[in-house]
Protein backbone atom coordinates (compact mmCIF):
# COMPACT_ATOMS: atom_id res chain seq x y z
CA UNK A 1 0.00 0.00 0.00
CA UNK A 2 1.44 3.37 -0.92
CA UNK A 3 0.51 6.99 -0.37
CA UNK A 4 -1.26 7.19 -3.73
CA UNK A 5 -4.12 5.06 -2.43
CA UNK A 6 -7.14 7.21 -1.59
CA UNK A 7 -8.69 7.32 1.86
CA UNK A 8 -12.04 5.55 1.46
CA UNK A 9 -14.95 4.15 3.38
CA UNK A 10 -15.33 0.39 3.02
CA UNK A 11 -18.32 -1.83 3.73
CA UNK A 12 -17.75 -5.24 5.26
CA UNK A 13 -20.13 -8.19 4.95
CA UNK A 14 -23.10 -8.07 7.33
CA UNK A 15 -25.10 -11.18 8.13
CA UNK A 16 -28.45 -9.94 9.44
CA UNK A 17 -30.09 -12.28 11.89
CA UNK A 18 -32.93 -11.96 14.42
CA UNK A 19 -30.37 -13.21 16.98
CA UNK A 20 -28.12 -10.21 16.20
CA UNK A 21 -25.98 -9.18 13.25
CA UNK A 22 -22.54 -10.53 12.40
CA UNK A 23 -19.76 -9.00 10.30
CA UNK A 24 -16.44 -10.53 9.33
CA UNK A 25 -13.17 -9.45 7.75
CA UNK A 26 -10.82 -11.83 5.99
CA UNK A 27 -7.19 -10.75 5.58
CA UNK A 28 -6.44 -9.57 2.07
CA UNK A 29 -9.98 -10.32 0.80
CA UNK A 30 -11.68 -7.39 2.55
CA UNK A 31 -8.69 -5.22 3.49
CA UNK A 32 -6.04 -4.20 0.89
CA UNK A 33 -3.08 -5.41 2.97
CA UNK A 34 -2.13 -8.39 5.13
CA UNK A 35 -3.17 -7.52 8.71
CA UNK A 36 -0.07 -7.46 10.93
CA UNK A 37 -1.62 -5.86 14.04
CA UNK A 38 -4.97 -5.08 15.60
CA UNK A 39 -5.50 -2.48 18.31
CA UNK A 40 -8.65 -1.01 19.82
CA UNK A 41 -9.62 2.19 21.59
CA UNK A 42 -12.39 2.30 24.19
CA UNK A 43 -13.50 4.12 27.38
CA UNK A 44 -12.75 7.46 25.72
CA UNK A 45 -13.85 10.31 28.03
CA UNK A 46 -16.37 12.79 26.57
CA UNK A 47 -14.74 15.64 24.61
CA UNK A 48 -11.42 13.82 24.23
CA UNK A 49 -9.44 14.01 20.96
CA UNK A 50 -6.96 11.32 19.88
CA UNK A 51 -4.55 10.88 17.01
CA UNK A 52 -2.80 14.02 15.72
CA UNK A 53 -0.12 12.18 13.81
CA UNK A 54 0.64 10.47 10.50
CA UNK A 55 2.39 7.23 9.66
CA UNK A 56 5.28 7.03 7.23
CA UNK A 57 4.47 3.49 6.09
CA UNK A 58 1.65 1.96 8.09
CA UNK A 59 -1.82 1.78 6.50
CA UNK A 60 -4.86 1.32 8.72
CA UNK A 61 -8.54 0.55 8.56
CA UNK A 62 -10.54 2.07 11.43
CA UNK A 63 -13.93 0.60 12.38
CA UNK A 64 -16.31 1.96 15.01
CA UNK A 65 -17.64 -1.47 16.05
CA UNK A 66 -19.78 0.34 18.66
CA UNK A 67 -20.78 3.99 18.95
CA UNK A 68 -19.53 6.69 16.64
CA UNK A 69 -16.78 9.24 16.09
CA UNK A 70 -15.55 11.70 13.52
CA UNK A 71 -12.17 11.13 11.85
CA UNK A 72 -10.50 14.14 10.20
CA UNK A 73 -7.79 13.51 7.64
CA UNK A 74 -5.45 15.82 5.82
CA UNK A 75 -2.80 15.19 3.19
CA UNK A 76 -1.25 18.58 4.04
CA UNK A 77 -3.47 20.49 1.59
CA UNK A 78 -7.02 19.21 1.63
CA UNK A 79 -8.97 18.19 4.76
CA UNK A 80 -11.73 15.57 4.70
CA UNK A 81 -13.94 14.39 7.55
CA UNK A 82 -15.59 10.98 7.90
CA UNK A 83 -18.30 9.87 10.31
CA UNK A 84 -17.80 6.30 11.52
CA UNK A 85 -21.07 5.05 12.94
CA UNK A 86 -21.68 1.58 11.51
CA UNK A 87 -20.19 -1.66 12.82
CA UNK A 88 -19.62 -2.98 9.29
CA UNK A 89 -18.02 0.19 7.89
CA UNK A 90 -14.27 0.86 7.87
CA UNK A 91 -12.17 3.87 6.92
CA UNK A 92 -9.03 3.03 4.95
CA UNK A 93 -6.26 5.50 5.87
CA UNK A 94 -3.20 5.31 3.60
CA UNK A 95 0.25 6.08 5.00
CA UNK A 96 1.29 9.73 4.94
CA UNK A 97 -2.12 10.98 6.13
CA UNK A 98 -2.47 13.19 9.21
CA UNK A 99 -5.44 11.98 11.29
CA UNK A 100 -7.36 13.19 14.33
CA UNK A 101 -10.32 11.50 16.04
CA UNK A 102 -13.09 13.58 17.62
CA UNK A 103 -16.61 13.46 19.04
CA UNK A 104 -16.54 9.94 20.44
CA UNK A 105 -19.98 9.04 21.76
CA UNK A 106 -20.18 7.23 25.10
CA UNK A 107 -19.30 3.55 24.73
CA UNK A 108 -17.55 3.92 21.37
CA UNK A 109 -15.12 1.11 20.54
CA UNK A 110 -12.77 1.66 17.60
CA UNK A 111 -10.94 -1.32 16.14
CA UNK A 112 -7.90 -0.62 13.94
CA UNK A 113 -6.46 -3.12 11.45
CA UNK A 114 -2.87 -2.27 10.59
CA UNK A 115 -0.47 -3.21 7.80
CA UNK A 116 2.56 -3.10 10.13
CA UNK A 117 3.56 -3.99 13.63
CA UNK A 118 3.97 -1.16 16.16
CA UNK A 119 7.02 1.00 15.44
CA UNK A 120 7.22 4.38 17.18
CA UNK A 121 9.68 5.55 14.48
CA UNK A 122 6.90 5.15 11.88
CA UNK A 123 4.94 7.98 13.57
CA UNK A 124 5.16 11.65 12.59
CA UNK A 125 3.72 13.41 15.65
CA UNK A 126 4.75 16.99 14.77
CA UNK A 127 2.65 18.77 12.12
CA UNK A 128 5.57 20.82 10.77
CA UNK A 129 7.56 17.62 10.34
CA UNK A 130 4.55 16.15 8.51
CA UNK A 131 4.48 19.13 6.13
CA UNK A 132 8.20 18.62 5.43
CA UNK A 133 7.56 14.90 4.85
CA UNK A 134 4.83 15.71 2.29
CA UNK A 135 7.01 18.37 0.62
CA UNK A 136 9.78 15.77 0.21
CA UNK A 137 7.47 13.48 -1.81
CA UNK A 138 7.32 13.58 -5.61
CA UNK A 139 4.52 15.96 -6.68
CA UNK A 140 2.21 13.18 -7.96
CA UNK A 141 2.22 11.56 -4.50
CA UNK A 142 1.24 14.66 -2.51
CA UNK A 143 -2.54 15.02 -2.97
CA UNK A 144 -4.34 11.88 -1.83
CA UNK A 145 -7.67 13.17 -0.50
C1 LIG B 1 -3.59 5.76 14.85
C2 LIG B 1 -4.78 6.20 15.60
C3 LIG B 1 -6.03 6.10 14.79
C4 LIG B 1 1.50 0.66 21.48
O1 LIG B 1 2.37 0.35 22.34
N1 LIG B 1 1.16 -0.24 20.51
C5 LIG B 1 0.22 0.03 19.57
O2 LIG B 1 -0.06 -0.82 18.70
C6 LIG B 1 -0.42 1.31 19.60
C7 LIG B 1 -1.46 1.67 18.56
C8 LIG B 1 -0.07 2.20 20.57
N2 LIG B 1 0.88 1.87 21.49
C9 LIG B 1 1.22 2.84 22.54
C10 LIG B 1 1.94 4.09 22.05
C11 LIG B 1 1.49 5.14 23.05
O3 LIG B 1 2.36 5.11 24.16
O4 LIG B 1 0.01 3.31 23.14
C12 LIG B 1 0.10 4.67 23.50
C13 LIG B 1 -1.04 5.47 22.93
O5 LIG B 1 -0.87 5.58 21.50
P1 LIG B 1 -1.29 6.91 20.69
O6 LIG B 1 -1.10 8.09 21.53
O7 LIG B 1 -0.57 6.86 19.38
O8 LIG B 1 -2.86 6.65 20.46
P2 LIG B 1 -3.83 7.42 19.47
O9 LIG B 1 -5.21 7.00 19.80
O10 LIG B 1 -3.54 8.87 19.44
O11 LIG B 1 -3.44 6.85 18.01
C14 LIG B 1 -3.80 5.52 17.69
C15 LIG B 1 -2.63 4.82 16.96
O12 LIG B 1 -1.45 4.96 17.73
C16 LIG B 1 -2.38 5.38 15.59
O13 LIG B 1 -1.61 4.45 14.85
O14 LIG B 1 -3.55 5.87 13.63
O15 LIG B 1 -4.94 5.52 16.84
Amino acid sequence: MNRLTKATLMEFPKICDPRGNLSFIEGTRHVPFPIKRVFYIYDVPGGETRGAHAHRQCAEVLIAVAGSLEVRLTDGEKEVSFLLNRSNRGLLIPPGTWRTMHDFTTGTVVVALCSREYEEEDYIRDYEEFEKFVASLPEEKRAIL
Side-chain angles (χ1 to χ4, degrees):
M1 161 132 316
N2 62 46
R3 197 178 187 270
L4 276 179
T5 310
K6 298 270 178 197
T8 28
L9 288 172
M10 321 170 69
E11 298 279 317
F12 299 116
K14 179 177 181 181
I15 313 290
C16 296
D17 190 312
R19 298 171 301 163
N21 300 328
L22 182 152
S23 288
F24 58 92
I25 299 166
E26 290 178 3
T28 48
R29 183 168 162 213
H30 299 114
V31 172
F33 50 78
I35 299 165
K36 291 274 182 64
R37 175 169 54 105
V38 176
F39 69 89
Y40 39 100
I41 296 170
Y42 51 98
D43 291 345
V44 178
E48 200 56 74
T49 297
R50 299 191 63 114
H53 54 251
H55 286 281
R56 296 171 200 280
Q57 297 193 63
C58 187
E60 291 178 358
V61 173
L62 299 185
I63 308 159
V65 293
S68 69
L69 74 153
E70 183 195 348
V71 182
R72 292 183 205 152
L73 304 180
T74 179
D75 57 10
E77 288 184 11
K78 198 171 163 194
E79 189 175 318
V80 182
S81 159
F82 294 89
L83 175 66
L84 295 186
N85 62 354
R86 298 221 194 326
S87 307
N88 69 324
R89 174 183 288 175
L91 174 61
L92 171 65
I93 308 181
T97 312
W98 187 268
R99 81 282 319 263
T100 52
M101 297 179 281
H102 306 258
D103 298 338
F104 290 81
T105 55
T106 304
T108 294
V109 180
V110 180
V111 171
L113 314 175
C114 308
S115 68
R116 296 176 70 91
E117 284 156 7
Y118 176 73
E119 303 153 303
E120 184 54 38
E121 58 276 17
D122 190 56
Y123 284 73
I124 305 173
R125 294 188 184 272
D126 176 80
Y127 195 78
E128 278 186 23
E129 194 189 331
F130 171 67
E131 288 180 311
K132 284 182 196 152
F133 170 80
V134 173
S136 74
L137 296 170
E139 190 146 354
E140 70 276 9
K141 290 195 177 178
R142 285 185 202 157
I144 52 163
L145 294 176

